[in-house]
Amino acid sequence: VRVASVPSATRASDTGLRGRGTARSEEGPGMAEEEQEQQLSKEEAEMRLQQMRAAVQEQMRQINILEMDAAEHRLVLEALDPLQGGRKCFRMVGTVIVERTVSDVKPALTANLEQMKAAVKKLTESCKKQQLEADAFAAKHRLSSKQGAAQQAEEQEGADEGSSGVLI
């Protein structure tokens, strides 16, 4: 509607036909454009909220990966604790397996574990902050994930009206 109204108004002014046709195009599309802008801003707000929540989910995924790696490091450290420091062990660095001693590997594993814990703590704080920002944004624009789910359910009901089924 918006795209169609702009060329017609331009054509009316180009041909010199001003008056009733131009007045109608200004009143009708003007009101429709305001409604469309309000609707677009709500859609844009919903898209922005989805992007914010996707960023939070990505950080949560990174936190989970780091926590799993930290758990593996703890298991290896527990396995190396009873061993003598001069005993041979192998450490994988990237895709290469390197021969080291237990006394060489334990400090490196401990340092890596501490770095992972710090990264998890930092990411968790950042994730909480982004979640609060997303919640505040949703409250400000009166959005919720429930609204999006309800709209999708209504659309699906409209599409499935002809089919009969049992709801349990």
Side-chain angles (χ1 to χ4, degrees), residues 68-83 89-92 102 105-106 108-110 113:
M68 288 188 297
D69 286 347
E72 288 178 10
H73 276 65
R74 277 192 292 276
L75 286 174
V76 172
L77 282 171
E78 288 173 7
L80 293 178
D81 272 340
L83 301 178
C89 69
F90 296 90
R91 181 176 183 204
M92 186 174 221
V102 172
V105 172
K106 279 175 82 172
L109 283 174
T110 305
L113 182 61

Side-chain angles (χ1 to χ4, degrees), residues 127-151:
C127 186
K128 286 180 184 178
K129 181 181 175 185
Q130 283 187 351
Q131 183 64 44
L132 291 174
E133 288 174 1
D135 291 343
F137 183 83
K140 179 181 176 184
H141 294 281
R142 297 180 182 166
L143 301 172
S144 71
S145 59
K146 294 176 186 175
Q147 287 179 345
Q151 288 175 352

Side-chain angles (χ1 to χ4, degrees), residues 9-55:
T10 306
R11 279 190 230 123
S13 63
D14 289 344
T15 59
L17 298 175
R18 296 183 187 188
R20 282 181 31 182
T22 309
R24 262 189 259 138
S25 66
E26 288 176 3
E27 288 176 11
M31 289 183 182
E33 286 178 13
E34 288 176 9
E35 291 173 8
Q36 189 175 13
E37 286 177 10
Q38 288 175 353
Q39 185 179 9
L40 285 176
S41 65
K42 185 175 182 178
E43 290 174 359
E44 289 172 353
E46 288 175 358
M47 293 295 278
R48 177 69 178 138
L49 181 61
Q50 287 177 355
Q51 290 173 349
M52 294 171 87
R53 292 205 170 137

Side-chain angles (χ1 to χ4, degrees), residues 65-71 73 111-121:
I65 289 170
L66 282 173
E67 286 177 342
M68 288 188 297
D69 286 347
H73 276 65
N112 285 349
L113 182 61
E114 293 304 317
Q115 288 176 350
M116 284 183 206
K117 286 179 183 179
V120 165
K121 184 178 178 182

Side-chain angles (χ1 to χ4, degrees), residues 160-166:
D160 294 338
E161 241 175 54
S163 65
S164 63
V166 178

Side-chain angles (χ1 to χ4, degrees), residues 5 58 87 98 111 143 151-152:
S5 66
E58 178 62 26
R87 187 167 175 175
V98 181
L143 301 172
Q151 288 175 352
Q152 289 176 354

